[in-house]
Amino acid sequence: MSSTTPATPSKFRVAIVGAGLGGLLLALFLQKYSTDIDVDIYESAAKLTELGAGIGVWPRVMEVLKFLGLEDDLKEIGGAHDSTAQSVHYRKADEPKAVDIRVFAPALLTFSRSDLQAVLAKHLHTADKIVYSKRLLAYVEPEAGQLDPIVLQFKDGTTATCDLLVGSDGIRSAARRTMFNNLADAAEIRGDKEQAAKLRTMIEPVWSGQVVYRGLVPVDKLADSAHSKDLQKTLILLGKDRASLPSLSATNVHEANIDPQDIVSYPITRGKTINVAAFVNTPGAEGTTYTKAWVTESTSAEVLEKFSGWDAGVQDLFKAMDKSLSWAVHTVRGLPTYVSGRAVLIGDAAHAMTPHQGSGAGQAIEDGFILATILSHPNVTLSNLFEALKIHDGLRRPFSQGIQRRSQMTGYLYHLHRLGWEHITGEQSAAGDYPREMLGKIGDELESAMGWAINESIMDDREKALKLLEKL
Ligand SMILES: Cc1cc2nc3c(=O)[nH]c(=O)nc-3n(C[C@H](O)[C@H](O)[C@H](O)COP(=O)(O)OP(=O)(O)OC[C@H]3O[C@@H](n4cnc5c(N)ncnc54)[C@H](O)[C@@H]3O)c2cc1C
């Protein structure tokens, strides 16, 4: 990394823009794999601040964290008392007493986001520096074929240079904005106005139609609840829309009625705190523009009111939650490329997805793993970086966009919009008036939807990358 004495001269300089989980993991992977790549990290915030409280990690992603040598540290900060993966309990909870759907055997490791970020920062060599309060506005690339540096332009008026720009700057990525404006400008110069217009639609994120209330519940505050012990499990609670709205205008949909949809809760900080995320949905609003502030403060009373009639344990959970933040859940459209010239997008900048597979950060981590594998390969040099990045794009884009689509489909399942449930009304669902075997169908579908995260290994993709790099 930049301030250490490299064993061999630097083959190129990488600028990682954005020190979220994706950017930090990439820096760690590069530190592990390469001695001849200089890295600078630019972060817009004044210090490391992971937004949101908890994060869940499935076995496929845990494999790469173990590969980095983080296992022991992660055990120290695990969510459950015994620091092991928790079983995941899927239930239908839009009725007074929740009904079991399926239990996944110990599968999910849960963490406080700030604890996880602190572990990553601790493992970056002390000499490595993150440059804080550096908000990227745009970047300027040399003409195609030129090996001159890329120039980064920051909001404070300063500039920096690099040979490779990694945009890990999250869902509202400035790197994505520059990349897709440049691609659109090039399409216009070719006379392809339609393509140019399409490329510009890739810049802004789109609203998923959902808002999530995120809050924390100290376990002590649940002591009087009859459900106290149960609420300390990892729970994914599904429910049916109460109403469907016939037609909504694109500009005011977020003012319309909303439906409670699903709740995810799990312990963090060694079982002292429960992390809660409660989703509501505005039917028909997916893909429209959310015109209010994305993040606002809300109260536990607000959330209780939205989930009235749901399982009694859920009511106890919300009563014990002092306050919450409501977040409008946005996604990035399926990009036609993550790579242009010597710039590459990773994490939410490339593929922000709905959280229903609990995998946005996991996909950012996978991006970092494969990208670092590629960049550190001896065959990769400054002059063939673009070809090397194409290998990353070929492996990571189809996979991560597949998870993006799966997340959307899993969301429809959580709202009970699939597998025959679309014919059951909200009232019937809340009254328990549906054939019981329909629960089994959801369980089977969930197992098939999440199988990749539990049973598959990313090492297969690493092998593919290494084979392709041999031919570079
Ligand atoms: C309710 C909810 C629950 C979730 N649960 C899970 C889960 O259980 N498991 C999971 O894997 N994922 C989960 N996710 C998704 C996950 O949070 C994100 O996918 C992940 O945090 C993205 O990481 P990132 O590093 O790409 O982006 P971010 O975490 O957004 O980091 C981007 C960084 O870039 C910085 N930045 C932004 N703009 C600039 C700029 N112009 N210049 C410089 N720096 C900049 C930011 O300050 C930030 O530090 C969840 C998401 C939500 C909304």
Side-chain angles (χ1 to χ4, degrees):
M1 313 278 292
S2 39
S3 328
T4 53
T5 310
T8 45
S10 157
K11 62 177 184 177
F12 46 74
R13 292 181 303 134
V14 176
I16 298 176
V17 176
L21 295 178
L24 283 180
L25 252 300
L26 172 64
L28 273 179
F29 283 129
L30 286 175
Q31 177 179 286
K32 180 178 173 80
Y33 286 126
S34 64
T35 51
D36 55 358
I37 298 177
D38 277 357
V39 177
D40 290 298
I41 307 172
Y42 300 99
E43 165 58 47
S44 59
K47 58 183 174 106
L48 286 184
T49 42
E50 254 298 315
L51 290 173
I55 189 128
V57 174
W58 296 99
R60 177 175 154 117
V61 175
M62 199 55 207
E63 186 183 16
V64 280
L65 296 178
K66 282 182 188 164
F67 190 83
L68 261 180
L70 300 178
E71 192 174 8
D72 290 343
D73 285 281
L74 294 180
K75 274 187 180 161
E76 293 294 314
I77 60 161
H81 292 286
D82 56 4
S83 303
T84 52
Q86 297 241 105
S87 295
V88 183
H89 298 254
Y90 289 91
R91 297 175 184 165
K92 180 174 174 298
D94 59 340
E95 15 191 326
K97 189 169 179 342
V99 191
D100 287 329
I101 296 175
R102 193 68 49 101
V103 181
F104 285 6
L108 196 68
L109 276 140
T110 56
F111 303 101
S112 139
R113 282 172 182 256
S114 51
D115 286 351
L116 183 54
Q117 200 176 38
V119 164
L120 305 185
K122 181 181 120 184
H123 280 266
L124 271 179
H125 293 154
T126 47
D128 295 331
K129 59 180 193 306
I130 301 172
V131 190
Y132 291 103
S133 302
K134 284 285 172 194
R135 177 172 290 281
L136 182 78
L137 285 184
Y139 65 88
V140 182
E141 274 200 276
E143 290 197 3
Q146 302 293 313
L147 294 183
D148 300 337
I150 298 170
V151 179
L152 310 178
Q153 299 169 332
F154 297 104
K155 195 175 175 207
D156 63 5
T158 59
T159 58
T161 58
C162 63
D163 296 316
L164 166 66
L165 164 66
V166 181
S168 53
D169 49 346
I171 188 163
R172 288 168 139 161
S173 168
R176 185 177 70 245
R177 176 175 301 281
T178 303
M179 184 183 285
F180 279 83
N181 269 329
N182 288 349
L183 289 170
D185 289 348
E188 255 160 27
I189 290 166
R190 289 196 309 271
D192 193 344
K193 285 200 170 136
E194 200 179 321
Q195 176 67 356
K198 198 170 168 204
L199 289 165
R200 288 195 213 281
T201 66
M202 303 291 162
I203 294 170
E204 293 300 332
V206 288
W207 186 32
S208 66
Q210 298 164 57
V211 170
V212 56
Y213 294 86
R214 302 170 92 174
L216 293 176
V217 176
V219 163
D220 299 347
K221 287 188 76 177
L222 292 171
D224 294 337
S225 165
H227 308 278
S228 171
K229 213 157 174 158
D230 193 49
L231 291 171
Q232 293 177 47
K233 296 175 180 162
T234 293
L235 302 173
I236 300 190
L237 307 173
L238 281 48
K240 176 80 188 173
D241 288 359
R242 284 180 183 156
S244 291
L245 302 177
S247 70
L248 294 160
S249 89
T251 51
N252 69 358
V253 282
H254 59 274
E255 308 289 355
N257 286 338
I258 50 172
D259 279 328
Q261 179 188 300
D262 65 271
I263 301 164
V264 178
S265 74
Y266 49 75
I268 55 172
T269 58
R270 306 301 301 267
K272 292 195 202 92
T273 314
I274 309 295
N275 177 73
V276 185
F279 292 80
V280 297
N281 183 44
T282 301
E286 186 174 359
T288 62
T289 304
Y290 192 82
T291 51
K292 292 201 290 190
W294 281 24
V295 183
T296 54
E297 284 195 13
S298 56
T299 61
S300 129
E302 242 177 89
V303 188
L304 264 170
E305 192 244 307
K306 292 191 165 67
F307 285 83
S308 65
W310 277 51
D311 173 69
V314 166
Q315 310 295 326
D316 287 356
L317 193 62
F318 292 145
K319 278 181 204 149
M321 192 164 77
D322 291 333
K323 58 176 183 178
S324 62
L325 287 177
S326 75
W327 298 53
V329 179
H330 282 75
T331 62
V332 167
R333 289 181 211 275
L335 302 181
T337 181
Y338 292 170
V339 168
S340 177
R342 282 184 270 123
V344 52
L345 305 174
I346 67 166
D348 274 10
H351 46 63
M353 56 187 74
T354 57
H356 298 295
Q357 290 243 330
S359 291
Q363 285 307 292
I365 291 169
E366 291 194 11
D367 287 344
F369 181 59
I370 297 298
L371 185 57
T373 303
I374 292 171
L375 296 180
S376 56
H377 194 277
N379 287 358
V380 177
T381 61
L382 176 59
S383 56
N384 64 11
L385 262 178
F386 177 63
E387 286 74 25
L389 292 180
K390 278 289 189 200
I391 295 177
H392 175 84
D393 192 56
L395 286 171
R396 289 301 305 153
R397 193 160 47 83
F399 192 87
S400 53
Q401 291 182 341
I403 306 306
Q404 241 185 339
R405 287 190 294 275
R406 269 178 195 242
S407 286
Q408 187 185 30
M409 294 311 283
T410 307
Y412 297 153
L413 196 60
Y414 282 13
H415 324 170
L416 305 180
H417 277 187
R418 295 174 52 205
L419 306 178
W421 282 92
E422 54 276 32
H423 308 303
I424 306 285
T425 65
E427 290 73 21
Q428 286 171 320
S429 179
D433 181 13
Y434 53 84
R436 293 288 123 167
E437 59 269 22
M438 286 180 74
L439 294 172
K441 280 195 197 168
I442 304 179
D444 294 346
E445 180 71 9
L446 285 168
E447 286 202 15
S448 131
M450 292 310 304
W452 70 274
I454 298 172
N455 305 317
E456 289 179 15
S457 167
I458 194 181
M459 295 305 164
D460 299 341
D461 283 346
R462 182 170 183 269
E463 288 308 313
K464 278 185 207 156
L466 291 173
K467 279 209 179 91
L468 291 166
L469 286 161
E470 286 306 321
K471 296 184 205 143
L472 202 65

